[in-house]
Amino acid sequence: EAGVVQSPRYKIIEKKQPVAFWCNPISGHNTLYWYRQNLGQGPELLIRYENEEAVDDSQLPKDRFSAERLKGVDSTLKIQPAELGDSAVYLCASSLVLNEQFFGPGTRLTVL
Amino acid sequence: TQLLEQSPQFLSIQEGENLTVYCNSSSVFSSLQWYRQEPGEGPVLLVTVVTGGEVKKLKRLTFQFGDARKDSSLHITAAQPGDTGLYLCAGWGSSNTGKLIFGQGTTLQVKP
């Protein structure tokens, strides 16, 4: 069974530029999560989807971050414009049952 | 706000030594999970503990959930270089919001 797929794996951009991350969850997993992980820290939830509905986006900085999950399968997370403090690893996870999340390898974003 | 604090944050030991990582909170969690994350990869679930006082073993790893469900520990016996990584505890809030809260992680280095 294929795991959670994320792309790109690495992205380097200059501040004020836009950037987008893509995630394809495990087939059949209705719940999809986006996390941000700063170096040496634990992941922090940005947004959680149940199918195509965002059920928890309280930690998403909505002035510059946006996300979508059209058709309730894959998802895109966008930052526009990026700031230096956005440098981090962006992790996508999916789950079928509430207490078992499977994480993708993440996208490492560097903002110069 | 429910928080999880891990200690120590960094641990560097020789192969064959034993170690314990602690995960503490002032809040009650309905369950706690332990993940291991290797560089460039997403966290991988090791175990879920649900019942206060529960002990689970995974080969050389022993996980314990505190009686009051506010803390947990991970003990590794005879550490191997392959145990090197970031160990994360994560808890599901007692309010069953579906939000997984991560500790800041413990970076373990096992030297051969």
Side-chain angles (χ1 to χ4, degrees):
Chain A
E1 178 181 282
V4 176
V5 179
Q6 290 189 246
S7 68
R9 292 295 310 274
Y10 305 92
K11 189 73 177 179
I12 300 174
I13 61 171
E14 293 189 347
K15 63 180 180 182
K16 301 185 182 179
Q17 294 299 306
V19 64
F21 315 124
W22 176 80
C23 171
N24 185 252
I26 293 173
S27 177
H29 283 194
N30 298 329
T31 308
L32 183 146
Y33 312 77
W34 282 103
Y35 289 88
R36 178 169 59 190
Q37 184 176 26
N38 293 313
L39 187 64
Q41 300 293 316
E44 295 178 315
L45 181 69
L46 292 173
I47 189 168
R48 173 168 67 102
Y49 282 93
E50 294 289 347
N51 298 304
E52 63 272 12
E53 181 182 358
V55 296
D56 183 356
D57 63 356
S58 57
Q59 301 301 312
L60 189 72
K62 298 181 183 65
D63 56 336
R64 297 183 299 106
F65 286 64
S66 64
E68 60 182 13
R69 192 185 184 196
L70 301 176
K71 302 181 181 178
V73 181
D74 54 358
S75 176
T76 303
L77 178 69
K78 297 178 182 179
I79 308 175
Q80 183 172 9
E83 296 179 352
L84 295 176
D86 296 330
S87 295
V89 175
Y90 291 83
L91 293 163
C92 179
S94 70
S95 68
L96 182 60
V97 294
L98 187 62
N99 66 345
E100 190 169 14
Q101 296 185 22
F102 294 85
F103 285 82
T107 297
R108 179 176 295 277
L109 173 67
T110 301
V111 182
L112 303 175
Chain B
T1 303
Q2 292 181 295
L3 294 173
L4 283 167
E5 293 192 6
Q6 288 186 236
S7 61
Q9 283 191 276
F10 302 97
L11 198 53
S12 181
I13 61 172
Q14 293 294 136
E15 181 177 0
E17 292 184 6
N18 301 331
L19 66 116
T20 301
V21 177
Y22 299 93
C23 175
N24 295 297
S25 176
S26 58
S27 305
V28 174
F29 286 88
S30 58
S31 64
L32 273 178
Q33 297 182 320
W34 285 92
Y35 291 79
R36 179 165 153 254
Q37 185 176 20
E38 298 191 30
E41 299 297 329
V44 175
L45 179 64
L46 296 174
V47 77
T48 301
V49 285
V50 180
T51 307
E54 182 177 5
V55 177
K56 282 191 173 180
K57 292 190 175 183
L58 186 65
K59 296 183 181 179
R60 293 176 292 100
L61 279 60
T62 302
F63 305 87
Q64 186 163 9
F65 200 11
D67 291 341
R69 289 186 289 129
K70 292 182 178 181
D71 55 86
S72 181
S73 64
L74 158 60
H75 182 79
I76 301 179
T77 302
Q80 304 292 313
D83 296 327
T84 293
L86 178 67
Y87 288 83
L88 296 157
C89 68
W92 292 98
S94 56
S95 59
N96 197 28
T97 59
K99 184 174 180 177
L100 189 59
I101 298 163
F102 281 87
Q104 77 272 41
T106 295
T107 300
L108 172 64
Q109 181 186 43
V110 182
K111 293 181 263 188

